[in-house]
């Protein structure tokens, strides 16, 4: 299955994934941007790259391995990717952090390089992620406008937040140690894999054919 760790910058995705690496067997961990990010990266680029990673996950699937992928693609983008229905299972975790803590982390990580307007955009993107995770009808234009023509947004465009397939786990790292957050992430990963094996995973293969 494909397990996505998503969220805006400096929420802790990469740190948590690295710490998880030697704790869960049978899982390979990748970062969305490790294949390179062009200077003109935009929504269409993110869509295309997410599809590229899904195809890579399908190759791992054939070898009996699960994939944890960190990045900024939310649930709606993953489900709309052309090859998503071929995956045996999909699960998404939103790694979130409070606005002021995100600003502090960005300043510390990038040595104060970002002007206030750019910091605001990171914070706004984080807030949008939170709204999207809760309700598929929350500002879908944010990811649909300017997107790749191959994206199949109609797969979930009629869903509501009551649909059990619209399921994003929220992991808030605000004021928590890395160890505490990694423990939560490990518990989530193991729980999703167990749900998949038992046939209880909401986004098991065939989800696209279920009537909302």
């Amino acid at each position: 299955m494909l397990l996505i760790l998503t969220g805006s910058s400096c929420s802790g995705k990469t740190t948590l994934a690295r710490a998880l690496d030697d704790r869960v067997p049978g899982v390979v961990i990748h970062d969305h941007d490790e294949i390179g990010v062009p200077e003109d990266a935009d929504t269409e680029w993110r869509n295309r790259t997410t599809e590229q990673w899904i195809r890579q996950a399908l190759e791992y699937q054939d070898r009996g391995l699960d994939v944890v992928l960190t990045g900024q693609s939310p649930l709606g983008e993953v489900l709309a990717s052309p090859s998503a229905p071929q995956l045996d299972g999909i699960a998404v975790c939103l790694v979130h952090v409070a606005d002021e803590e995100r600003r502090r982390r960005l300043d510390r990580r990038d040595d104060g390089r970002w002007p206030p307007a750019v910091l605001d955009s990171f914070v706004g993107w984080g807030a949008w992620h939170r709204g999207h995770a809760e309700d598929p009808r929350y500002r879908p234009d944010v990811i649909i406008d300017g997107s790749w023509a191959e994206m199949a947004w109609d797969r979930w465009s009629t869903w509501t937040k009551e649909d059990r397939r619209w399921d994003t786990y929220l992991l808030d790292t605000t004021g928590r140690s890395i160890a505490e957050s990694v423990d939560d992430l490990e518990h989530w990963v193991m729980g999703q894999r167990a749900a998949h094996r038992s046939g209880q995973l909401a986004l098991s293969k065939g989800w696209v054919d279920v009537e909302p």
Side-chain angles (χ1 to χ4, degrees):
M1 64 181 298
L2 175 62
L3 301 113
I4 298 281
L5 303 187
T6 190
S8 188
S9 296
C10 275
S11 55
K13 302 182 298 293
T14 301
T15 299
L16 295 181
R18 287 172 178 167
L20 183 72
D21 196 17
D22 60 354
R23 297 176 62 157
V24 182
V27 168
V28 291
I29 296 175
H30 286 287
D31 183 85
H32 182 278
D33 295 348
E34 70 185 51
I35 58 178
V37 182
E39 291 186 3
D40 60 347
D42 57 10
T43 299
E44 182 174 348
W45 170 82
R46 190 175 67 238
N47 297 159
R48 290 177 178 270
T49 306
T50 298
E51 168 65 9
Q52 185 174 339
W53 278 116
I54 289 174
R55 292 179 183 176
Q56 180 67 57
L58 288 169
E59 294 182 15
Y60 281 120
Q61 179 174 286
D62 290 342
R63 294 158 52 189
L65 295 169
D66 295 330
V67 176
V68 170
L69 178 67
T70 65
Q72 298 199 26
S73 294
L75 176 59
E77 281 191 350
V78 176
L79 299 185
S81 297
S83 299
Q86 299 177 44
L87 291 163
D88 285 344
I90 300 169
V92 176
C93 171
L94 172 60
V95 184
H96 189 68
V97 68
D99 294 350
E100 290 310 308
E101 178 62 21
R102 192 187 306 277
R103 293 177 190 275
R104 285 193 291 270
R105 291 181 186 181
L106 283 162
D107 270 335
R108 186 167 59 245
R109 186 192 70 180
D110 299 330
D111 197 25
R113 65 178 287 198
W114 303 114
V118 176
L119 289 175
D120 288 345
S121 71
F122 286 127
V123 170
W125 180 227
W128 179 87
H129 266 277
R130 184 76 179 263
H132 178 79
E134 294 173 355
D135 191 338
R137 298 186 177 183
Y138 177 77
R139 294 291 313 278
D141 58 290
V142 170
I143 52 174
I144 294 176
D145 291 352
S147 62
W148 184 29
E150 298 299 314
M151 300 292 278
W153 303 109
D154 59 345
R155 288 180 186 152
W156 56 266
S157 61
T158 61
W159 296 9
T160 68
K161 61 183 179 181
E162 285 76 29
D163 194 308
R164 67 183 295 267
R165 293 169 296 178
W166 195 259
D167 181 25
T168 295
Y169 175 70
L170 177 65
L171 199 170
D172 194 327
T173 64
T174 308
R176 308 186 74 224
S177 69
I178 293 174
E180 289 174 323
S181 294
V182 173
D183 284 345
D184 282 354
L185 180 60
E186 180 182 7
H187 181 75
W188 175 75
V189 169
M190 299 300 288
Q192 297 304 298
R193 296 175 86 193
H196 184 214
R197 289 193 299 270
S198 66
Q200 299 301 308
L201 186 71
L203 289 168
S204 291
K205 193 169 186 177
W207 60 266
V208 73
D209 298 319
V210 176
E211 288 295 330

